[in-house]
Amino acid sequence: MATTDTVFVDSIQLPAAISTDCWGRPKPQQVLASVYLHLKPSFLDACGTSDDVTDSVHYGHLTKAVSALVDEKARSGVHYVDVHALIGDVTRAAFELVGESADAVRVVVDLPKQILLASGFSVEVTTPKVGESDASEADKAGETASGIVAATTVVRVKDLVLPVLIGVNPPERLARQRVITNIMFSERPSHTSSAHPEPRQSEIDYPEIVQRLYQLIMDSSYLTLEKLVLELCRACLRATPSFVDTVTVRCEKPSAIAFAHASGVEMTRRREAGL
């Protein structure tokens, strides 16, 4: 396994107004940002040997840099149009702090109350830092001097509670039961500047997609989790643009087995095969 060094700060509480809340109102909501600095291999050996924090990346400084940036915009009345705009600011602040020591910056923004009936909604973007050789190739191609890199995006809907008429036993056909559903959307890498990450031109309304899935469930019934999960995978791919390359759906029935927490099925489907 390759040597990896990471410094991170988990769940920084930020006073940011992003798009709209779960009721469609342009109001501030709870925002948690986690920042992961993927450093060059063995970078942390120096601090691990000297036991001197100045030989590392100070996560306190990272937290202050991110918080100060968002606080300043909040005081100025700046309203983020979407999660990607906030992630772009946080990514830029992280790269400015760490300098040449990072190979990539990964930012995860959680909006715990963004989607009704779900315990969480998160957007994760990993942006690699362009190297000198990559920048030279970009210059030859007529791209920006800062280089063009491929940022990967993963969107998660966590613990969505769906009332499903499902099961093969006669009692299960009489009433709906809770199915706990987790969905992961993997977007194809978008090419952007590592110094100035920008959102895609076509943003996806994930809360609207979840609402469509809920309606699909209410209008249907199933005998097996396998059928339900496959239908959800296909519905997710149909409802999203072509740059959503892969969808993973995991469904659990907490009430299926008396002496087990849950039984479940998980499937991953790519766009070319999933429809």
Side-chain angles (χ1 to χ4, degrees):
M1 183 176 179
T3 299
T4 60
D5 288 19
T6 305
V7 169
F8 66 91
V9 179
D10 185 57
S11 301
I12 308 170
Q13 297 187 43
L14 299 176
I18 302 178
S19 184
T20 57
D21 64 10
C22 61
W23 300 108
R25 302 170 301 186
K27 298 179 64 176
Q29 58 181 301
Q30 185 180 13
V31 178
L32 303 174
S34 300
V35 186
Y36 300 82
L37 305 179
H38 297 280
L39 304 168
K40 294 187 179 301
S42 302
F43 175 84
L44 296 179
D45 282 3
C47 184
T49 301
S50 68
D51 208 16
D52 186 344
V53 70
T54 60
D55 289 330
S56 181
V57 179
H58 199 304
Y59 39 77
H61 295 167
L62 173 62
T63 303
K64 289 179 180 179
V66 171
S67 298
L69 173 66
V70 177
D71 285 345
E72 181 181 355
K73 291 207 169 187
R75 288 194 300 269
S76 303
V78 174
H79 188 98
Y80 285 103
V81 295
D82 53 46
V83 177
H84 285 276
L86 172 61
I87 290 176
D89 274 355
V90 174
T91 300
R92 182 168 60 254
F95 271 124
E96 290 175 354
L97 174 69
V98 76
E100 298 298 320
S101 303
D103 283 338
V105 169
R106 176 162 55 99
V107 177
V108 183
V109 170
D110 285 283
L111 304 175
K113 299 184 179 181
Q114 177 66 31
I115 296 180
L116 295 172
L117 300 180
S119 68
F121 172 78
S122 69
V123 179
E124 173 184 320
V125 177
T126 302
T127 306
K129 186 174 182 63
V130 66
E132 292 182 2
S133 59
D134 297 324
S136 298
E137 292 299 321
D139 290 340
K140 292 177 183 178
E143 296 169 342
T144 61
S146 59
I148 300 299
V149 296
T152 58
T153 301
V154 176
V155 177
R156 293 180 175 87
V157 178
K158 305 173 185 177
D159 295 339
L160 176 67
V161 180
L162 296 176
V164 187
L165 188 60
I166 187 170
V168 297
N169 299 313
E172 293 180 299
R173 309 309 299 170
L174 300 178
R176 295 180 181 273
Q177 57 183 296
R178 290 187 310 133
V179 174
I180 310 302
T181 302
N182 286 270
I183 308 172
M184 182 175 70
F185 301 85
S186 299
E187 301 180 7
R188 280 200 302 271
S190 59
H191 291 82
T192 184
S193 164
S194 61
H196 300 283
E198 296 178 354
R200 292 180 180 273
Q201 293 181 349
S202 175
E203 294 298 333
I204 303 174
D205 188 347
Y206 283 103
E208 171 61 24
I209 291 174
V210 171
Q211 185 59 39
R212 292 190 210 173
L213 298 179
Y214 185 85
Q215 192 59 51
L216 171 68
I217 295 303
M218 295 302 294
D219 294 339
S220 307
S221 66
Y222 306 89
L223 294 176
T224 65
L225 275 176
E226 287 81 355
K227 175 69 172 178
L228 170 63
V229 172
L230 183 59
E231 286 296 312
L232 289 175
C233 283
R234 290 172 172 171
C236 288
L237 290 170
R238 286 195 297 266
T240 51
S242 59
F243 60 76
V244 175
D245 188 52
T246 305
V247 170
T248 297
V249 176
R250 175 190 178 98
C251 288
E252 301 178 11
K253 291 171 62 177
S255 57
I257 301 176
F259 295 99
H261 174 70
S263 59
V265 170
E266 178 178 310
M267 294 183 188
T268 298
R269 293 293 181 268
R270 296 183 64 85
R271 178 165 297 278
E272 61 268 21
L275 295 177

